[in-house]
């Protein structure tokens, strides 16, 4: 089968005249069409631009601090550490929070005879037209001021080149990672392996952060500068420290670091090119469909996945089976489940094992910090996990997109719809929360606290379901029709971030009674937490479905129009 993108296109083919500027014009045109008649999107875009400029100004003064103070002692430290954090942020934030802007969906170019180089170059240049890139450019310009103040115009000129190369590296890294994860998560064969690798990676981050912060507490500034110097010779810090090296007389280091940056940039673009092509041609195969043995009840029973095999064969059961199947097979939803599994274990362990003090390491290891754990601290950490688990449903109708029209036409009552969605989602999340509760209790050497942890988790999760049910009806937004589970439309990244923050704050407030009870009841709460938490969570979820269901019944047409992607 011929690939849609090929490097062997004939020179006489008209598409050879396509350049990066065509992709930029196309992106601006699509962005303008998306904003047309959408006042809330324009407001979100303006708000995101203002917020980005605020962070950009703060970053500018941070990077420019050594130059403004006329002291270059810590210039390498600020450049390497700050620049490295920028690159890491561009790698991680799109995966877990904001998503990545794909106004130009690569899949739309699959049938066009575009050379691979033209496609990758055009999409890469178009990706540079965004508010985050502008914010990083303004913030990192502080390095230019520092280099210029410390070493004159030549150092400032090298700093400009380094800053531009660093921005290109950030964008390329973000695109390569999200595209690669999109391909991996879409593949049924490597789905479990991806989950395991992500979980192991997250499990290592916690201990490394604890030991790193403990070492940071004991280290002096000279040692930290030495660490920053090492980071400056890696792709994370190389482009940002070029101007500082020239200012401090290490002119020979500038071309070497720029070469390191160029090699890393080329490797990332090559990686993105391969994963982008796989996503376009559907190279990730799900393999042969498994043969289900021992299934009884005919064709209808086979539509119910095993996790929902207990559901009644009626409207409610069919909705539960549909949602359960989608949560397991849809790459975008599966990415959220993996995030819950990873962060749900990492955060409570980090908070409770360190006693809330990330640098609380001494000669006795973690034992001293562990003794400071209390039911209140454990409940607060469980509150965060439960809120994070439920916030995934803040845009649950956006996952459906135009397919939600089937439910609208069928006239599914809002309360039934929301209860079914809660039930299907809980089939996967509740076992995860149970594992978190047991693991944390064992790590704290307090198996008697399992009831406390489970009760706090269930109560917070139920309150979060109630809040997010209402948020999903009133604050839904459309998601791009693409195979990349991390893709977002223009302006929707900020909408996702603000909606997530609002839902998490409201869910946390709704779960505060559990923290108050843990503080007031003392040891009695260890016995009451499980039954009270289960009743509180279940009652809150049912009440939320009841109230949000009425709102959903009144807003069906508006909701469908909101979640339907605009072409």
């Amino acid at each position: 089968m011929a690939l849609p993108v090929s490097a062997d296109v004939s020179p006489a083919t008209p598409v050879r005249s396509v350049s990066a500027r065509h992709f930029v014009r196309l992106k601006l045109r699509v962005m303008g069409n998306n904003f047309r008649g959408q006042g809330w999107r324009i407001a979100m875009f303006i708000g995101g631009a203002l917020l980005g400029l605020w962070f950009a100004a703060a970053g500018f003064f941070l990077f420019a601090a050594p130059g403004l103070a006329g002291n270059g002692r810590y210039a390498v430290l600020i450049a390497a550490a700050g620049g490295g954090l920028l690159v890491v942020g561009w790698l991680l934030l799109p995966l877990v929070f904001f998503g990545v802007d794909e106004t130009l969906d690569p899949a739309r170019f699959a049938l066009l005879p575009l050379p691979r180089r033209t496609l990758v170059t055009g999409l890469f240049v178009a990706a540079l037209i965004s508010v985050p890139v502008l914010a990083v450019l303004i913030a990192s310009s502080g390095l230019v001021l520092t280099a210029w103040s410390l070493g004159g115009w030549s150092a400032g000129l090298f700093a400009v080149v380094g800053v531009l190369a660093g921005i290109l590296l950030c964008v390329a890294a973000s695109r390569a990672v999200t595209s690669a994860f999109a391909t991996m998560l879409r593949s049924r064969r490597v789905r479990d392996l991806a989950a395991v690798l992500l979980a192991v990676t997250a499990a290592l981050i916690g201990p490394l952060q604890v030991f790193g912060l403990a070492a940071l507490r004991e280290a002096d500034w000279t040692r930290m500068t030495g660490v920053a110097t090492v980071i400056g010779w890696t792709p994370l810090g190389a482009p940002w420290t070029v101007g500082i090296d020239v200012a401090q007389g290490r002119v020979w280091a500038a071309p070497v670091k720029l070469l390191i940056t160029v090699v890393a940039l080329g490797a990332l673009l090559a990686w993105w090119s391969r994963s982008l092509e796989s996503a376009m041609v559907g190279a990730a195969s799900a393999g042969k469909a498994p043969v289900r043995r021992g299934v009884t009840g005919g064709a209808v029973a086979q539509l119910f996945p095993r996790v929902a095999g207990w559901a009644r064969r009626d409207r409610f059961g069919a909705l539960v089976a549909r949602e359960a199947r989608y949560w397991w097979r849809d790459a975008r939803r599966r990415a959220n489940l993996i995030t819950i599994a990873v962060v749900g274990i990492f955060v409570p362990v980090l908070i409770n094992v360190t006693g809330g003090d990330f640098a609380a390491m001494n000669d006795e290891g973690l034992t001293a910090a562990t003794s400071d754990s209390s039911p209140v601290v454990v409940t607060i950490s469980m509150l965060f996990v439960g809120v994070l688990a439920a916030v995934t449903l803040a845009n649950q109708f956006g996952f459906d997109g135009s397919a939600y029209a089937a439910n609208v036409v069928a006239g599914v009552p809002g309360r039934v719809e929301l209860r079914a969605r809660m039930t299907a989602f809980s089939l996967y999340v509740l076992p995860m929360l149970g594992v978190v509760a047991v693991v944390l209790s064992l790590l704290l050497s307090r198996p008697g606290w399992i009831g406390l942890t489970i009760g706090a988790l269930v109560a917070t999760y139920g309150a979060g379901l109630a809040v997010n049910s209402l948020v999903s009806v009133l604050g839904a937004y459309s998601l791009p029709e693409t195979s990349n589970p991390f893709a977002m439309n223009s302006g929707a990244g900020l909408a996702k971030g603000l909606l997530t923050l609002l839902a998490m704050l409201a869910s946390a407030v709704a779960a505060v009674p559990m923290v108050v009870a843990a503080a007031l009841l003392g040891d009695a709460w260890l016995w009451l937490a499980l039954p009270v938490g289960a009743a509180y969570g279940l009652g809150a979820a049912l009440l939320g479905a009841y109230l949000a269901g009425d709102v959903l019944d009144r807003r069906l047409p508006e909701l469908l129009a909101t979640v339907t992607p605009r072409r």
Side-chain angles (χ1 to χ4, degrees), residues 486-541:
F486 309 106
M488 299 296 296
N489 288 320
S490 295
L494 178 64
K496 178 183 178 182
L498 294 179
L499 194 66
T500 300
L501 180 61
L502 175 63
M504 292 182 69
L505 290 177
S507 301
V509 171
V512 164
M514 299 297 294
V515 180
V516 175
L520 296 180
L521 298 181
D523 293 339
W525 184 242
L526 299 178
W527 300 95
L528 297 175
L530 180 57
V532 173
Y536 186 88
L538 180 61

Side-chain angles (χ1 to χ4, degrees), residues 5 184 331 426:
V5 282
M184 182 174 60
S426 300

Side-chain angles (χ1 to χ4, degrees), residues 180-181 183-201 334 338 342:
F181 270 89
T183 303
M184 182 174 60
L185 291 175
R186 194 182 70 252
S187 173
R188 298 290 303 279
R189 292 183 176 180
V190 300
R191 177 187 57 218
D192 296 334
L193 177 61
V196 172
L197 291 177
L198 284 172
V200 171
T201 302
R334 193 160 60 236
I338 293 176
V342 171

Side-chain angles (χ1 to χ4, degrees), residues 74 78 81 86 93 148 166 194 241 246 258 281 284 310 332 345 439 464 516 521 532:
Y74 305 121
I78 293 178
L86 282 178
L93 290 181
W148 194 297
T241 56
V246 175
L258 288 177
V281 302
W310 53 268
R332 183 180 280 117
I345 293 178
V439 169
V516 175
L521 298 181
V532 173

Side-chain angles (χ1 to χ4, degrees), residues 119-278:
L119 182 62
V120 172
T121 303
L123 292 176
F124 181 60
V125 174
L128 297 174
I129 311 300
S130 66
V131 172
V133 172
L134 178 60
V136 172
L137 177 61
I138 295 175
S140 55
S141 297
L143 293 174
V144 178
L145 178 60
T146 294
W148 194 297
S149 301
L150 299 178
W153 66 268
S154 59
L157 183 61
F158 273 98
V160 170
V161 177
V163 164
L164 295 178
I167 293 175
L168 296 178
L169 185 70
C170 288
V171 176
S174 174
R175 293 295 168 142
V177 170
T178 53
S179 182
F181 270 89
T183 303
M184 182 174 60
L185 291 175
R186 194 182 70 252
S187 173
R188 298 290 303 279
R189 292 183 176 180
V190 300
R191 177 187 57 218
D192 296 334
L193 177 61
V196 172
L197 291 177
L198 284 172
V200 171
T201 302
L204 292 176
I205 290 176
L208 289 177
Q209 183 177 4
V210 173
F211 286 103
L213 290 175
L216 185 64
R217 185 179 184 182
E218 300 296 331
D220 55 16
W221 286 101
T222 303
R223 185 181 305 178
M224 293 173 60
T225 304
V227 174
T229 303
V230 174
I231 296 176
W233 285 99
T234 67
L236 294 177
W240 316 101
T241 56
V242 169
I244 306 300
D245 286 330
V246 175
Q248 295 180 351
R250 295 184 296 272
V251 181
W252 59 269
V256 179
K257 291 188 175 182
L258 288 177
L259 179 61
I260 293 174
T261 305
V262 171
V263 172
L265 180 61
L268 288 171
L269 290 178
W271 183 23
W272 182 31
S273 174
R274 295 181 62 86
S275 60
L276 183 67
E277 182 176 355
S278 299

Side-chain angles (χ1 to χ4, degrees), residues 35 74 164 187 291 305 333 363 369:
F35 290 147
Y74 305 121
L164 295 178
S187 173
V291 179
R333 302 192 190 207
D363 296 336

